[in-house]
Structures are given as structure tokens and as C-alpha cells.
Amino acid sequence: MAVCFALSSAERLGFGFLRPTAAATGFRRAAGNAAAASVSVQDGHRKLKTEADLPEIKIFTMLYQMLFKGYLNSIHELQIYQKQVYGPLSKINSGNLQGISISSVELLEELLRKDEKYPCRGYMTLWTEHRDLRGIGYGPFTEEGEKWYKLRAVLNKRMLHPKDSLQYGDVVNAVITDFIKRIYYLREMSPTGDLVSNLTNELYRFSLEGIASILFETRIGCLEKEIPVETQEFINSIAQMFTYSMHVALLPNWTRNYFPFWQKYIDGWDGIFKFGTKMIDMKMEAIQKRVDTNQEVAGEYLTYLLSSGKMSSKDVYGSVSELLLAGVDTTSNTMLWALYLLSKDPAAQETLYQEVTKVLKDDRIPTAEEVNSMPFLKAVIKETLRLYPVVPVNSRLIAETEVVIGEYFFPKKTTFNLCHYAISHDEKVFPEPQKFKPERWLRDGRTRPNPFGSIPFGFGVRACVGRRIAELEMHLALARLIKLFEMRPDPTVGEVKANFRSVLVPNKKVNLHFVERQKTET
Ligand code: HEM
């Protein structure tokens, strides 16, 4: 059951919500609406072009490229093809997909540096409709403008600063210990004695347990042999919400009364919030008891949110559920790609193993601080995210201001599609872009890549709030797994390609041999 769910959910995470439109002032237009026709726009002495001068990709071209050129499941690869054909700046005008595509590192940097005070990815009405229907507060994904800014100021504390993540080291390590136990159990059950099948599913369970234990400050049993009923219902609710979000996004609103999809979509959200609410209420009760008996209120993230007095409980319910959803498929898929890449590259795996064993000379569990002495470990994750960015395309809606990008003028309310995948696979930015080369990230005197070439966690004040937590989980888990096991590919699986399902997921089940290493005397 969990197996089915994990795969389907992993294939449907709503990071598509990261995609749904211009920032400098003082422009003089010669005539009419700059967006509509090739009119002249003057910026001082410079004559600017407008979006009417850009190559336009219309719906039929898009459909042709997806259906007949084979990009249906690999929209990320389509970015590279479209860049070759239309150049680094083009206009997409294809059904729900609208906006200006940016696929060069220079233009991306220019746009992000001109982003607004309250950056916006585009409005998320599908999510906000549910919150409005149930009177639930908005979270970091759904909130916008000044209210979002204030919310992020609270959420950032205890999460975003590198030193914040250190406090979660023990919690994360406890989850990793249970994950390793599960790996041993799965190996034993396998015909070869060392095979872990369907790793996507196992890593999904690991990531959900990890983020839940940080946010709720309690364990929810995803790594047990039998997942507790309530946790399983919660997992099923996430799957249901993501499954039906596809239907409700594609069908017009009037169909909601005729088909069951909308109701099932809402039921999915209700299940997610039911579980989240119960966890938060339990924590509130525990805090209240301590307050009533004059005891110190101690705890981590949820305790901080609830006791800081800076957030209403309605906002806590809204935010925690969004953090939880964002924290699962992101880390689980990145871990999967990292282990897969290492299994195919014994030399890189050996370098990593040597580094980890040098820092961890005995059976000790690494601390969060010790990860700082493992630059190759960090480079492996960076390179994995360059090759398989969790969010291969992001977006920015420049709502309040006009903007010039390159030689082009864009009016207010222009949406930009940020083609991160094309940029992080550009050979001018990353020589041999298809090769897994963690060493390109090392600070050992070599020329470092352009920082905007690969920005898997985004950029600026709206960048990923969970970055430090995600890195902590992935670094600690990878260090411990590599110390214990050598990863080898399962020859029956063959080459694994990435499919685009809002995040980049493997196109087939991935199994790996976890070959236990000989213990060395130290
Ligand atoms: C490999 C792991 C992860 C990657 C690559 C990743 C990537 C991203 C990206 C690209 C964005 C959009 C940033 C932008 O628009 O500039 C984002 C936003 C976000 N992420 Fe992550 N993420 C990861 C893990 C997590 C985790 C573990 C959490 C939860 C603790 C999380 C919570 C969020 C939230 C709440 C937002 C929305 C922030 C806002 O709009 O203010 N992410 N993430």
C-alpha cells in the first residue's frame, strides 16, 4: 500500500506550483501597449525591443514538440531543444503555459537581481481555494505580498541560517539510524542478501519521517515494518490531493458539480490538515501543561512557532502543512539520484568513502558540524542537484514594475519561466555538462562555476526556506550510508532516465545493491 502510494506521490508532487510575468523605471513608449506590438521603447538613448520581437512558441508547435518529437515526459529536455532553436529568450503562448522563457545564465542573473521586494511565482488559486473554503491560514507557498514577507520572517528563524540546522542533527540522525535498520532488513529479505528494491519508495518513507520529526517533534512510524493507520491515512491523503490536483487543474470549474474529482481533491487536503492539526494540537496541549505548571517550554521548531507569539494557530496550521509537503519528494528524489550516480561511478564513490572515513575514524555517528569537514560530500549533492534539479523550471511574476532584460522591455505583470535545467546543462557554464563531476564544486584553486548556473534552492528572499534542513538530512544520510555500504547498480534495471512529474523522478523502479563494507581496524 505504502509502496504504491510512495511511487505515485513521488511522481506527482505539486512543485509544478512553482510555475504559473517586468523591473526598472523611466521608460518612454512611442505608441500603444508595449506588449502587443513591436513599438519602440526608449530607455535613455537606448532603443529597446519588446516581447513582440521575440520568437513565439504557440500551442501547436508545443504539442508537436511534445507528442511527435518525444518531449512529453521530459519537458526539462525540451528546454534545451527550445534554447537551441529559439535562443535564450523566447515567448511561450500555449494554453495554460504562458510567459517569457529565460535559458541563459546571464539573463537569469539579470532578472533575479531585478526581482521585486515581495517576489511572486504566480498565484496558487488551486491551493488557496481549499484554504478559503475551510477557513485555514495561508502558508509560505500560498501567501503573497507583505503578508508573505512577515510570515517568512517568522518561518526563517530556526531554519534558514546554517547554524540553525545544527540543532536538528540529533533528530535527523535518529531517523537515519532507523532508516539504516530498515535497509539491513530489506537486504536480508532480498534474494541476493544485499538488494534494496524500489529505492524511491524507501527514500520517500525516510524523507517523510525526517521532515515530520523536525516539524512535529515526534516520530510518525514511516520506517516501521507496519506503518501506523493514522500515518498511512495521512500518506494516502497526500497522494489523493496530488492525484486529483491534475484533474481539477485541467478541467473547467463548472465541471466540479458533475465529476467527483474536485471533492476528492478537497478530501485529500482535509486528510492532510486533519493529521497536521492533530499533531499541532497535541504539541499545544503539551506546551500549555508546561506553562500551567511553571515549567520551562523546551522544544524545537513547532514549539518555537507556537510559543513565540508571532503567529496565530490558524497560520501555524497553514504553514506547517505546506512545509511538510515541500519537504518530502525534494530530498527523497535528490537522495535517490545521488545514490544512483555514485553506484555508476566507483571512483567518485571511493573518493567519498575515503573522505568520510578520514573524518569519522570509528563507528561514531557524524555530527552536523563534522559535515563541514567533508567538502566532497557536499559537492556530490551539489552536482546531483545540477544534473537533476528538483525544480527544473521555476517562475517569477513581476507584478508591480516594468523591467528590461537583455535588450527587451517587459511591461508589469509579465511572467518569466526560469529554465534552470537548460542553464545547468549549458556547456559554456559547465564543461562536459552531462558528466557527473562533483570535483567541479571543490574550492581547491580551480575556477568555480558561475553561481547562477545551478541554483537548485532558488535565489533571494523567496528562496527555499527548507534548504538547510534538506542539506542536513541529505549530507548526514549519505555520509552514513557510504560509510557502511558500497552502492552497486542492479544490472536488471539498466539505464535510468528522468521523467518530469513536476519534480524530476526516475522513469523506472530503481534497485541498488547495498554491499556491506568490511570493517577496518582504526
Ligand atoms: C533537495 C531539497 C530541496 C530543494 C532542491 C528545494 C528547492 C526549492 C525551490 C527551487 C524553491 C523555490 C525557490 C524560489 O522560488 O526562488 C523552494 C521553495 C520552498 N521550499 Fe524547498 N527545496 C528542498 C527541500 C525543502 C524542504 C525540506 C522544505 C521544508 C522544510 C522546503 C520548503 C520550501 C518552502 C516552504 C518553499 C516556499 C518558500 C516561499 O515561497 O517563501 N523545501 N524549494
Side-chain angles (χ1 to χ4, degrees):
M1 191 66 172
V3 177
C4 300
F5 151 69
L7 195 61
S8 59
S9 162
E11 287 177 357
R12 290 187 199 104
L13 176 86
F15 256 100
F17 50 61
L18 292 184
R19 358 181 349 35
T21 318
T25 49
F27 306 112
R28 203 157 44 76
R29 290 178 216 177
N33 177 355
S38 182
V39 294
S40 80
V41 180
Q42 205 78 27
D43 177 18
H45 295 297
R46 197 164 57 133
K47 193 168 170 224
L48 299 169
K49 295 176 186 168
T50 70
E51 63 183 78
D53 299 307
L54 285 172
E56 187 173 347
I57 306 166
K58 293 196 174 149
I59 191 156
F60 289 112
T61 310
M62 198 76 171
L63 285 174
Y64 172 77
Q65 291 172 350
M66 282 164 63
L67 299 175
F68 296 103
K69 289 197 85 64
Y71 289 107
L72 187 62
N73 285 320
S74 52
I75 309 265
H76 53 297
E77 297 285 352
L78 183 58
Q79 289 177 18
I80 296 178
Y81 173 77
Q82 291 185 337
K83 182 180 178 179
Q84 279 163 4
V85 176
Y86 308 102
L89 208 57
S90 56
K91 181 176 171 175
I92 306 254
N93 181 6
S94 170
N96 281 334
L97 205 59
Q98 300 281 333
I100 307 299
S101 289
I102 291 189
S103 53
S104 90
V105 72
E106 294 81 13
L107 296 174
L108 175 71
E109 177 171 0
E110 194 179 346
L111 176 80
L112 289 176
R113 292 207 184 278
K114 291 176 177 172
D115 207 350
E116 296 179 300
K117 183 174 178 194
Y118 307 129
C120 177
R121 286 184 289 267
Y123 303 107
M124 296 188 48
T125 41
L126 264 192
W127 282 32
T128 51
E129 271 188 88
H130 167 264
R131 311 296 190 275
D132 294 344
L133 198 66
R134 299 288 187 244
I136 300 168
Y138 290 1
F141 277 112
T142 37
E143 198 56 273
E144 294 297 344
E146 202 177 339
K147 280 182 84 179
W148 163 82
Y149 194 77
K150 287 186 174 149
L151 182 69
R152 270 297 297 254
V154 183
L155 295 177
N156 287 352
K157 292 225 173 74
R158 299 217 175 188
M159 214 183 241
L160 204 53
H161 198 277
K163 75 172 170 23
D164 293 334
S165 63
L166 301 184
Q167 68 189 316
Y168 303 112
D170 291 347
V171 175
V172 171
N173 265 326
V175 175
I176 298 171
T177 300
D178 288 349
F179 181 61
I180 289 172
K181 278 186 203 152
R182 187 163 167 83
I183 293 283
Y184 275 111
Y185 166 75
L186 295 167
R187 291 169 73 247
E188 269 165 36
M189 295 291 129
S190 78
T192 57
D194 63 6
L195 189 71
V196 176
S197 302
N198 197 358
L199 201 54
T200 309
N201 179 47
E202 298 306 326
L203 287 165
Y204 184 92
R205 290 168 75 153
F206 161 67
S207 286
L208 181 54
E209 188 70 27
I211 191 65
S213 67
I214 288 175
L215 293 174
F216 298 136
E217 302 169 45
T218 181
R219 298 293 299 267
I220 62 169
C222 292
L223 296 171
E224 287 167 20
K225 281 180 200 151
E226 290 289 327
I227 297 183
V229 175
E230 275 188 332
T231 300
Q232 188 59 56
E233 281 172 6
F234 168 63
I235 291 175
N236 296 345
S237 298
I238 305 178
Q240 182 166 331
M241 184 279 284
F242 282 133
T243 304
Y244 290 101
S245 63
M246 298 287 181
H247 301 73
V248 295
L250 291 173
L251 291 169
N253 289 2
W254 62 263
T255 61
R256 290 177 181 178
N257 292 331
Y258 299 95
F259 296 120
F261 309 130
W262 174 251
Q263 194 51 52
K264 285 188 183 290
Y265 169 76
I266 294 292
D267 290 347
W269 272 122
D270 287 346
I272 295 169
F273 277 93
K274 184 178 154 202
F275 187 78
T277 306
K278 189 176 167 199
M279 292 291 170
I280 296 167
D281 289 347
M282 272 163 51
K283 180 58 65 185
M284 279 208 285
E285 252 174 60
I287 293 175
Q288 193 57 51
K289 263 192 198 143
R290 295 189 76 84
V291 171
D292 292 347
T293 50
N294 291 327
Q295 293 180 65
E296 198 193 337
V297 176
E300 300 299 346
Y301 200 63
L302 187 53
T303 305
Y304 152 72
L305 292 183
L306 291 169
S307 58
S308 69
K310 292 187 179 126
M311 246 173 141
S312 66
S313 50
K314 181 178 164 184
D315 286 342
V316 175
Y317 294 133
S319 291
V320 169
S321 303
E322 288 187 11
L323 286 166
L324 187 66
L325 284 176
V328 184
D329 294 62
T330 47
T331 47
S332 64
N333 278 299
T334 307
M335 279 296 293
L336 179 93
W337 289 119
L339 293 172
Y340 171 72
L341 288 165
L342 287 166
S343 77
K344 306 255 290 180
D345 188 338
Q349 196 173 165
E350 183 59 23
T351 309
L352 179 58
Y353 174 67
Q354 292 303 335
E355 179 181 88
V356 173
T357 43
K358 213 168 119 194
V359 178
L360 298 173
K361 292 211 164 35
D362 45 30
D363 280 348
R364 247 174 347 98
I365 289 176
T367 63
E369 286 95 337
E370 275 168 328
V371 167
N372 292 329
S373 314
M374 302 183 195
F376 196 78
L377 175 77
K378 291 182 172 185
V380 165
I381 294 296
K382 276 180 96 100
E383 182 68 349
T384 302
L385 282 166
R386 179 190 72 78
L387 281 165
Y388 300 99
V390 165
V391 182
V393 57
N394 197 355
S395 60
R396 281 293 184 267
L397 164 66
I398 307 284
E400 305 292 333
T401 46
E402 301 169 324
V403 71
V404 173
I405 301 295
E407 294 293 295
Y408 291 82
F409 165 87
F410 298 98
K412 293 175 187 175
K413 297 193 171 37
T414 300
T415 298
F416 293 90
N417 304 315
L418 317 180
C419 299
H420 293 298
Y421 188 87
I423 295 171
S424 71
H425 288 73
D426 182 341
E427 64 179 359
K428 288 197 215 107
V429 192
F430 298 101
E432 299 186 280
Q434 304 300 340
K435 277 204 175 154
F436 175 60
K437 292 173 75 176
E439 59 277 9
R440 60 173 108 229
W441 296 102
L442 297 177
R443 292 173 190 270
D444 57 0
R446 70 187 82 209
T447 314
R448 303 256 301 154
N450 183 322
F452 284 82
S454 176
I455 43 170
F457 294 97
F459 175 80
V461 286
R462 191 121 209 188
C464 178
V465 64
R467 174 179 185 163
R468 301 299 169 197
I469 301 264
E471 289 176 332
L472 180 78
E473 280 182 0
M474 297 187 294
H475 292 149
L476 288 175
L478 192 52
R480 290 180 66 187
L481 287 172
I482 284 297
K483 182 113 196 286
L484 289 169
F485 307 105
E486 188 191 327
M487 310 294 151
R488 292 200 196 142
D490 173 2
T492 64
V493 171
E495 200 192 342
V496 180
K497 290 201 154 74
N499 273 351
F500 179 74
R501 296 280 181 274
S502 298
V503 294
L504 291 184
V505 299
N507 67 342
K508 51 171 84 158
K509 282 186 184 162
V510 178
N511 315 325
L512 289 183
H513 290 280
F514 282 62
V515 181
E516 196 168 13
R517 295 183 190 269
Q518 299 296 319
K519 286 216 164 75
T520 47
E521 294 297 320
T522 50

